[in-house]
Amino acid sequence: MRLVHLDLKGAAPKVPYLEQVFPLFSKLGANGILIEYEDMFPFKGELESLKSPYAYSEEDVERIQNLAELNNLEVIPLVQTFGHVEFILKHDKYRHLREVERFPNSFNPHVPETLAVLKAVLTQVLSKHQRSHWVHIGADEVFHLGEGMDSKNWLSHNAGDVGKMYLNHIREVVNFIASQDWGFQVLLWDDMLRKVSVAAVQESGITKHASPMLWFYAPNFDTQQLGKYISKYAECGFKTVWFASAFKGTTGPAQAWTPLNHHLQNHVQWLSIMRSLAKSPSPRLQGIALTGWQRYDHYSALCELLPVGIPSLAVCLQTLVNGGFNEATKKKVLDILGFQSMQLEKSTCVGSGAFPGLDIYRMVEQVHSQLKDSILKVLEEDSSIKGWFSQYHRKHQFGNPRNMESFGSKVLKAHDDWESFIQTLRSHMEAVYFSDTVEEWMEENVNPHVDRLREFVRDFKEIIRLNARPKTL
């Protein structure tokens, strides 16, 4: 299995865009989608408060699955069940279920209501995914586990075994899923298991119904250490394992442009692990998820938008399909994306391009490479502008500068050009994203730079209006 991860806790695409991009995923070599809904799922009843105002409808969820099926993509829902549950625990209604009261990221596993809420969440999500064979329960990065008073009390009577405490909760979640007639096999991130003893995992019994998904996103991760984890999981009794790479969203919490070579090298490393594992009878590799994180957590800034990450996804998927990235693989990527050439180190693609979201890709490239520098250049290259405005703001009389309008003409042009550009970019983004995403992305990536230009223009126009007279109180 080669899964493309859709992280919907930020910048969730509208369904029509998924309709355009799913055929591309399939053409590039994907055969599955790992969908992390978070608050984009249409929760109802007692859970209705969990859903975003922009959440998909039940019809949308069904349509997404139909579109995936049309493109031979297996849909695997991902529901966080221990850590990274801010979308649940941020609500006052569920505040008492926090492991540590100050932090909304992790459940207290000792409160019976925790499991009751999770069963309700899982039931609503999984009942809408009857065609799926797997469910991913997250379970990674359970921050502050063991720091709550209930946990401290439990640990004082159980030899301080945090790993066993973790597994007790995971076992309850896994057993609940297995006890239903849905027929799901369970996947979970492996990082918390790395610190748990083999005996504890064996005793938990989760290996019968679950498989760990080992995740490493760096371009030069320690393959030897990873091999030790695989051997450990085989000893634990896991029959299959999954891997997780990254095609975007792992190189900075506010990264706007995807570094191609970084993610390519991550997949080259994973290929070496796959080749080694193929020589071993156990465990068997079931698949790999190419993660495309949109936020580091529920409260973090947005990472690269999906259209911006598509060239990286193409490079990474084709590397896995072809067993490496050579000139033939590169040519296939370029042909599929409609580019003429690609510079991996510079993370740029040359040519007209032809893929869903291309307009956003090209315009974000301009924002990334030109916006900040061009505005700084216009505002700072002519020291006379700075000096002239300094006099104005000190309310000193300085006569009527003969070149006053020429000082601001280039700034006014830059302002008008960028405002027009931004309006066009906004319209392209609104075709793909909901309004909250558009506003958030603009606030993070555009406004900090353009606002300086806007302020200059406001001041300049005010001075022209005053005919260069000093301000009055």
Side-chain angles (χ1 to χ4, degrees), residues 388 400-408 460:
W388 188 72
N400 186 18
R402 287 173 295 177
N403 296 323
M404 181 169 62
E405 293 192 19
S406 67
F407 284 165
F460 182 79

Side-chain angles (χ1 to χ4, degrees), residues 5 8 60 72 109 146 193 197 202 232 247 256 264 298 303 337 349 364 367 383 417 443:
H5 172 230
L8 304 184
D60 289 335
N72 300 309
L193 294 175
S197 70
Q202 291 173 336
K232 173 184 176 177
F247 73 91
L264 168 60
H298 185 79
C303 301
L337 298 182
C349 299
V364 170
V367 170
S383 60
D417 288 347
E443 188 62 34

Side-chain angles (χ1 to χ4, degrees), residues 7-8 56 64 93 97 102 137 190 218 254 297 351 375 378:
D7 177 18
L8 304 184
Y56 296 140
I64 288 170
K93 180 179 180 180
L97 302 181
R102 286 190 303 145
I137 63 168
D190 84 301
D297 63 48
I375 290 176
V378 168

Side-chain angles (χ1 to χ4, degrees), residues 261-463:
N261 196 54
H262 177 100
H263 294 292
L264 168 60
Q265 294 308 318
N266 174 245
H267 287 78
V268 170
Q269 286 285 80
W270 276 115
L271 278 174
S272 68
I273 294 291
M274 292 177 186
R275 294 188 184 102
S276 298
L277 190 59
K279 302 172 185 176
S280 174
S282 181
R284 181 171 61 88
L285 176 63
Q286 186 82 59
I288 182 170
L290 291 81
T291 62
W293 298 103
Q294 197 56 70
R295 298 188 196 274
Y296 277 25
D297 63 48
H298 185 79
Y299 293 111
S300 292
L302 292 171
C303 301
E304 309 100 298
L305 298 173
L306 180 56
V308 173
I310 282 181
S312 176
L313 177 63
V315 166
C316 296
L317 270 172
Q318 280 294 294
T319 296
L320 295 177
V321 169
N322 294 287
F325 191 78
N326 53 27
E327 285 302 315
T329 305
K330 183 177 180 180
K331 184 179 185 306
K332 188 169 183 181
V333 168
L334 293 173
D335 289 345
I336 292 174
L337 298 182
F339 291 128
Q340 295 173 346
S341 64
M342 174 183 290
Q343 293 183 295
L344 293 174
E345 292 293 345
K346 294 183 178 181
S347 301
T348 58
C349 299
V350 177
S352 57
F355 62 84
L358 175 68
D359 291 327
I360 293 175
Y361 172 85
R362 282 302 190 205
M363 298 190 82
V364 170
E365 182 178 28
Q366 286 182 259
V367 170
H368 171 72
S369 63
Q370 300 176 26
L371 179 62
K372 179 180 178 180
D373 289 344
S374 70
I375 290 176
L376 286 174
K377 182 178 180 182
V378 168
L379 291 179
E380 298 180 1
E381 70 178 357
D382 194 333
S383 60
S384 60
I385 294 178
K386 296 168 68 177
W388 188 72
F389 271 95
S390 176
Q391 292 182 61
Y392 170 72
H393 283 295
R394 289 198 303 267
K395 304 179 188 177
H396 289 170
Q397 180 67 45
F398 46 77
N400 186 18
R402 287 173 295 177
N403 296 323
M404 181 169 62
E405 293 192 19
S406 67
F407 284 165
S409 62
K410 67 175 71 175
V411 182
L412 290 173
K413 184 178 186 309
H415 170 267
D416 292 345
D417 288 347
W418 277 116
E419 290 290 12
S420 175
F421 174 91
I422 291 164
Q423 188 58 42
T424 303
L425 172 57
R426 181 183 290 274
S427 67
H428 287 307
M429 290 185 67
E430 287 172 346
V432 174
Y433 294 108
F434 299 100
S435 60
D436 63 327
T437 295
V438 178
E439 295 306 322
E440 181 180 358
W441 193 89
M442 290 291 178
E443 188 62 34
E444 291 173 1
N445 297 280
V446 173
N447 293 349
H449 312 299
V450 177
D451 281 351
R452 291 189 62 193
L453 204 55
R454 291 165 177 159
E455 182 181 3
F456 181 100
V457 169
R458 282 195 301 269
D459 283 352
F460 182 79
K461 289 181 177 179
E462 176 65 9
I463 293 172

